[in-house]
Amino acid sequence: MSHTAEPALVHPTTASVVDYHPHPPKRKKPLASDLLIAEKAKKPAIFTLENLRRDALAGTVTGLVAVPLTVGICLMSEYPIQTGLLTVVFACVIGFVTFLFKPGNYVGTPGVAAGLAPVLAFCVHKFGMENMPFLIFCTSIMQAVAWKFNLQRFVMKVIPVYLVEGLLAGIGLKTALKFLPYTYGILGEGHEWMSMERIKMMGLSLATLILFLHLFGKYKAKLPAVPYVAVIVLGVVCGIYMEVPMLHIELSPIKLAMPIPDFNVLPPKMLVEIIAYAFMLCLIDVIEQVLSNAAIEKLDPLGRPANSNNSLFTIWLANLGSSFFGGMTNLDGLQASATNALAGAVTKVSNLFTALVLLVFLIEPHWLAHLPYFALAVLMVFTGWRMIAGLVHVASHGPYALLLALFCGILTYVVGIMEALIIVLVVHLFINFVIFRHDHIPLIEILKKFAHKFGEDVDPRSTDTMLVHKDKQIGGLRFSTISHNAADKKNLTEFINDWAFGVNNHSLPAVVGCYDMNGLLWGTFAKELREGHHKIKGYFEHLFELEDVHVKFETGEVRQYKEIHIQSGKYVFTFKRKKELISVPARYSFVCKKEKTGWFILEHHSSEFPA
């Protein structure tokens, strides 16, 4: 694929380091680590006028998207809207300040946690709004402990990613069904339910949803704010010329107070329950932030690595501060962060402009009364649906993961988040124990496997064949092939399947890690031969810009010449262009070598079949 011209950006101070070969041959070119150290020594400025212009525009656009999302989550959480807006404003300021000395990610935008909205609503009913500041305070303290000891790396080992997807799917279902009645609600309920007014409201909501989906499909890759702004503008116009239910704003003055529980109405048993729910909020917040960081890292225009532990520092600090004015939990949400990145943000300066937009509506909350419920409901139903649609990604983990995620989602909707998480984890551990025992693995060996899993200080993005960890000397990420012993039975076909898995999941580290440090790639859509990890990574970065790109192997023949293995055959790339599925059949040749540290692609040639 050909490279497109990009606006001039300032280079980051950190970068990822790739080293898959334990003893690379001597190079005439400088090592990547030498270049990185030299780059860090330059200390390039990031606060330039060009970056400020980009951040100002991106932050303003993100703020316009964040307003209706924050209002919707407040309604779902049964929190005052002004409190939610202040939470985001405060979190944006904290996010910018911590970015100056502990950057977690570079283009993320904080917001109230949509995934925790049903939990917060339940806690409001159970403990009362007067005790919510204490709950958020306890959550922030637990997150501070998780940050101090870098416990997020263990959390992602205890709870598989596909269970988190199931958890979010259950929450998404709750969110969608919560706002669905607003799409057909009318003024002045009469005796006849299916009245002409209700039919008109249903038609208006359906037309708005169709418009949103059309604009979302057309602009989500370049101008993600367009569909949200269009729905809000349409809603405001309809509110002027039509009689539709409008958003009701109850003014709730912001009060600063110590987050101390009301012991007069809080028995000791309920205090224990608050601690338990704070732990659950902390757990979900941490998991969502880690997963968001993985996605935000891919959206970063400069490809800068995210530091999840630094992000935890930011969110616990913001949550601690918000507990003093009765605020909500926050994290770098995917929708706002994606909008921010795609709108051109380069640094967290954009957060300040997002905060300014929300501050306007915080000062003048009556402006929100011009927003109809149906427009807000369309956005929130879509948000819930996207959380449910995340189950599609679970399919790549296999049928067991998909069934367990579905089970987790159903339980989340029926019995609640904490109960569902505990039940599913117990079932998951029991099933794994039965499998180990069926393979006649002694109990002590099972415990060793469990202890070994927690003993590895690895990044959650690591796979079975690739280790990701932080390079302490350089400060970036180092990707290394995991060394297997001689009993390892991975063959060439399984290795090529690892490459295909990385492509189908749009994972740059997993794909690039399959190539030798000096590997050659002549890509299917490329016009030049690429050598080395850096250039190969550039090719796949452009390949993954295609919508829903996948590869499927159809034929393959293997030849072996001493230590060299060659697989040649046919595979088919598929992607979407304007919602139309495009198929590109191509021929390929993989020249591979197996070493003690694993398989590597030495040369990879691919080209389209002649027309």
Side-chain angles (χ1 to χ4, degrees):
M1 295 179 66
S2 59
H3 289 275
T4 56
E6 289 288 339
L9 301 178
V10 179
H11 290 286
T13 57
T14 60
S16 297
V17 181
V18 185
D19 184 11
Y20 292 93
H21 202 297
H23 302 291
K26 293 183 179 180
R27 301 175 175 84
K28 294 181 180 179
K29 299 179 180 179
L31 294 172
S33 57
D34 298 331
L35 294 175
L36 182 57
I37 293 173
E39 184 66 28
K40 289 184 70 176
K42 295 178 183 177
K43 295 182 180 179
I46 57 175
F47 300 111
T48 65
L49 289 177
E50 172 60 21
N51 288 352
L52 178 62
R53 182 191 65 81
R54 293 168 64 96
D55 288 332
L57 177 61
T60 302
V61 170
T62 305
L64 294 175
V65 173
V67 169
L69 291 179
T70 303
V71 171
I73 295 170
C74 287
L75 293 178
M76 183 72 185
S77 306
E78 301 189 15
Y79 258 81
I81 293 175
Q82 289 172 283
T83 302
L85 292 173
L86 181 58
T87 299
V88 181
V89 171
F90 181 73
C92 284
V93 174
I94 294 297
F96 168 73
V97 173
T98 57
F99 162 76
L100 298 176
F101 59 95
K102 277 185 179 293
N105 56 63
Y106 293 83
V107 292
T109 299
V112 288
L116 294 178
V119 187
L120 291 175
F122 177 82
C123 292
V124 169
H125 285 282
K126 188 175 184 65
F127 306 120
M129 185 61 75
E130 64 276 8
N131 289 312
M132 291 304 292
F134 177 67
L135 177 65
I136 303 302
F137 176 79
C138 292
T139 301
S140 67
I141 297 301
M142 293 177 185
Q143 289 171 339
V145 173
W147 162 75
K148 178 65 178 178
F149 297 101
N150 198 17
L151 298 180
Q152 53 89 15
R153 67 189 192 276
F154 297 126
V155 170
M156 297 307 297
K157 295 176 184 178
V158 175
I159 304 177
V161 175
Y162 50 83
L163 286 190
V164 179
E165 293 286 2
L167 204 69
L168 294 178
I171 296 172
L173 183 60
K174 282 179 175 287
T175 301
L177 294 181
K178 169 78 174 181
F179 283 90
L180 189 61
Y182 290 115
T183 61
Y184 54 79
I186 59 174
L187 295 171
E189 298 284 345
H191 297 289
E192 184 180 358
W193 191 87
M194 186 58 74
S195 60
M196 183 57 64
E197 288 78 9
R198 195 178 300 279
I199 294 175
K200 290 180 180 179
M201 181 56 66
M202 289 180 177
L204 180 60
S205 299
L206 181 60
T208 304
L209 178 61
I210 293 173
L211 173 65
F212 177 85
L213 294 177
H214 171 71
L215 295 176
F216 183 83
K218 186 175 181 180
Y219 293 105
K220 66 178 180 179
K222 294 182 179 180
L223 300 169
V226 168
Y228 291 88
V229 174
V231 168
I232 297 304
V233 171
L234 176 63
V236 171
V237 172
C238 290
I240 295 174
Y241 295 100
M242 300 175 61
E243 291 187 359
V244 294
M246 306 296 288
L247 182 64
H248 178 64
I249 304 295
E250 292 185 3
L251 297 180
S252 178
I254 305 297
K255 297 180 180 179
L256 292 177
M258 294 294 292
I260 300 175
D262 187 354
F263 291 104
N264 294 325
V265 296
L266 194 69
K269 180 182 177 181
M270 190 168 288
L271 184 63
V272 175
E273 288 187 68
I274 284 184
I275 301 298
Y277 273 91
F279 176 76
M280 182 180 63
L281 290 174
C282 169
L283 191 63
I284 298 175
D285 226 13
V286 169
I287 293 172
E288 282 203 57
Q289 183 61 59
V290 172
L291 294 178
S292 294
N293 267 357
I296 294 169
E297 185 176 285
K298 296 179 182 179
L299 293 169
D300 193 312
L302 298 177
R304 293 162 291 191
N307 186 314
S308 292
N309 207 47
N310 284 353
S311 292
L312 290 186
F313 174 77
T314 301
I315 65 173
W316 81 253
L317 202 59
N319 285 337
L320 180 67
S322 69
S323 68
F324 285 86
F325 59 81
M328 306 163 69
T329 56
N330 80 95
L331 54 83
D332 291 332
L334 276 181
Q335 183 58 56
S337 298
T339 301
N340 194 43
L342 294 173
V346 183
T347 72
K348 289 275 190 176
V349 173
S350 60
N351 285 183
L352 297 180
F353 291 91
T354 300
L356 285 176
V357 174
L358 276 85
L359 186 62
V360 171
F361 290 94
L362 179 63
I363 297 173
E364 300 290 344
H366 62 275
W367 288 0
L368 295 172
H370 297 286
L371 178 64
Y373 274 116
F374 82 88
L376 187 62
V378 167
L379 298 180
M380 294 307 297
V381 168
F382 176 75
T383 300
W385 165 248
R386 290 199 72 184
M387 296 170 73
I388 298 172
L391 289 172
V392 174
H393 304 295
V394 178
S396 62
H397 293 274
Y400 169 76
L402 182 59
L403 288 174
L404 204 62
L406 288 171
F407 180 55
C408 183
I410 294 171
L411 280 178
T412 300
Y413 177 75
V414 175
V415 301
I417 294 178
M418 184 169 68
E419 295 86 350
L421 192 58
I422 293 174
I423 293 172
V424 175
L425 281 177
V426 170
V427 171
H428 178 56
L429 290 174
F430 177 75
I431 292 174
N432 278 273
F433 178 78
V434 170
I435 292 173
F436 284 137
R437 295 299 295 168
H438 181 266
D439 293 336
H440 305 290
I441 299 177
L443 180 60
I444 188 66
E445 290 297 323
I446 296 175
L447 295 177
K448 284 182 179 179
K449 286 178 178 289
F450 186 76
H452 179 68
K453 183 176 181 181
F454 280 85
E456 294 176 347
D457 186 15
V458 298
D459 191 275
R461 287 162 290 193
S462 296
T463 66
D464 291 336
T465 58
M466 181 185 67
L467 177 67
V468 183
H469 61 93
K470 186 173 182 180
D471 190 290
K472 295 181 179 180
Q473 180 180 0
I474 299 174
L477 292 179
R478 184 175 291 277
F479 302 88
S480 308
T481 300
I482 295 177
S483 177
H484 296 285
N485 56 38
D488 182 30
K489 297 181 179 179
K490 182 179 288 294
N491 56 34
L492 177 63
T493 301
E494 292 171 333
F495 169 64
I496 298 298
N497 287 339
D498 286 346
W499 176 87
F501 179 83
V503 172
N504 292 335
N505 287 274
H506 299 182
S507 174
L508 280 173
V511 176
V512 177
C514 294
Y515 292 86
D516 183 74
M517 279 291 292
N518 297 315
L520 297 176
L521 168 65
W522 200 297
T524 312
F525 307 96
K527 296 182 179 180
E528 61 181 15
L529 182 66
R530 297 172 186 260
E531 176 186 1
H533 278 178
H534 179 70
K535 293 184 178 180
I536 291 174
K537 178 184 177 184
Y539 171 77
F540 284 104
E541 283 177 340
H542 283 277
L543 178 66
F544 293 159
E545 289 176 0
L546 297 174
E547 182 180 358
D548 199 24
V549 61
H550 282 77
V551 64
K552 181 180 180 181
F553 284 83
E554 292 193 350
T555 62
E557 294 290 339
V558 178
R559 298 288 185 271
Q560 182 176 352
Y561 303 94
K562 294 185 178 180
E563 298 178 349
I564 301 298
H565 299 253
I566 303 175
Q567 178 169 317
S568 302
K570 174 186 176 183
Y571 51 21
V572 179
F573 285 92
T574 58
F575 60 91
K576 292 181 180 179
R577 180 184 295 158
K578 296 181 180 180
K579 298 185 179 181
E580 179 183 358
L581 186 64
I582 306 296
S583 296
V584 181
R587 49 199 171 191
Y588 69 86
S589 290
F590 288 95
V591 180
C592 306
K593 184 179 180 181
K594 185 177 183 181
E595 301 180 359
K596 292 181 180 179
T597 52
W599 286 91
F600 296 94
I601 300 173
L602 302 179
E603 296 184 13
H604 175 198
H605 176 272
S606 179
S607 59
E608 296 184 47
F609 279 104

